[in-house]
Amino acid sequence: MKILIACTKNKLFALNDELPWKNIKNETTKKDMKYFVENTTGKKIIMGYKTYKSIGRLLPNRENVIMSRTRTIPGAIMCRSLDELREKHLDGILIGGLDIINQVCNTMEVDEININVLDFVIHPTKLDSALYIDFGSYLKRSRLVNKINWNYF
């Protein structure tokens, strides 16, 4: 299993259940999106239901696996548990959300983690729901992380 994630320089991963930079269009976000497209097109991607909802659609030219115990999305391959993920989808790239990434790092072997660090900082307000990445915890918790790639945009 591989993981592909992005965050800001201050480790912000999600803001109000969306990408914090969703509405920012600059060279940094363009490079990140290009990297994502190049590394996921034609491959199996795995995401949680909240990540799917934040994207708003299935991603084209990819095999979309969505983790949800109860929901069904037309055109997607549904995965109901970590056991099913382990049995059928180890060849995929996990793109989020953070809860599923944490569960995978706690219970499964991870071949590679690609972390795109975007060259800006976003400061949430007190009213925002913000999720941050704790990079050290992936190394401590995962049974085995064979490789971590840091990409700075």
Side-chain angles (χ1 to χ4, degrees):
M1 165 121 353
K2 293 182 180 181
I3 298 173
L4 175 56
I5 54 179
C7 67
T8 62
K9 280 172 56 173
N10 60 328
K11 302 177 186 174
L12 185 62
F13 175 79
L15 188 62
N16 302 320
D17 290 332
E18 293 188 340
L19 287 176
W21 51 90
K22 187 173 184 173
N23 297 316
I24 298 174
K25 306 291 185 223
N26 61 25
E27 284 304 309
T28 298
T29 59
K30 286 178 187 173
K31 286 178 186 175
D32 173 57
M33 187 54 62
K34 181 180 178 192
Y35 183 90
F36 180 84
V37 169
E38 287 174 354
N39 286 278
T40 62
T41 298
K43 298 183 178 153
K44 180 187 293 185
I45 57 170
I46 304 158
M47 67 188 98
Y49 181 76
K50 284 190 210 174
T51 300
Y52 162 74
K53 289 298 283 182
S54 75
I55 295 169
R57 62 186 171 91
L58 298 176
L59 294 178
N61 304 313
R62 296 161 186 88
E63 192 175 345
N64 289 258
V65 176
I66 300 175
M67 299 210 46
S68 173
R69 288 185 182 91
T70 59
R71 293 191 165 86
T72 300
I73 290 104
I77 298 166
M78 301 308 298
C79 182
R80 303 294 182 198
S81 68
L82 285 177
D83 287 336
E84 184 179 341
L85 182 68
R86 192 177 297 109
E87 291 168 13
K88 297 181 180 177
H89 304 294
L90 285 179
D91 58 336
I93 302 168
L94 179 57
I95 63 169
L98 200 54
D99 288 344
I100 293 170
I101 291 169
N102 289 337
Q103 290 175 43
V104 165
C105 285
N106 279 333
T107 61
M108 297 169 68
E109 180 176 325
V110 176
D111 297 316
E112 185 176 329
I113 299 176
N114 289 289
I115 302 169
N116 294 349
V117 181
L118 308 184
D119 191 25
F120 53 81
V121 173
I122 295 174
H123 297 287
T125 69
K126 290 181 181 179
L127 299 176
D128 287 323
S129 171
L131 292 174
Y132 292 88
I133 293 176
D134 178 8
F135 297 122
S137 69
Y138 292 126
L139 292 175
K140 291 175 191 170
R141 290 186 318 211
S142 181
R143 290 183 182 174
L144 178 62
V145 175
N146 293 326
K147 186 177 179 182
I148 295 182
N149 298 314
W150 298 87
N151 305 303
Y152 295 92
F153 297 123

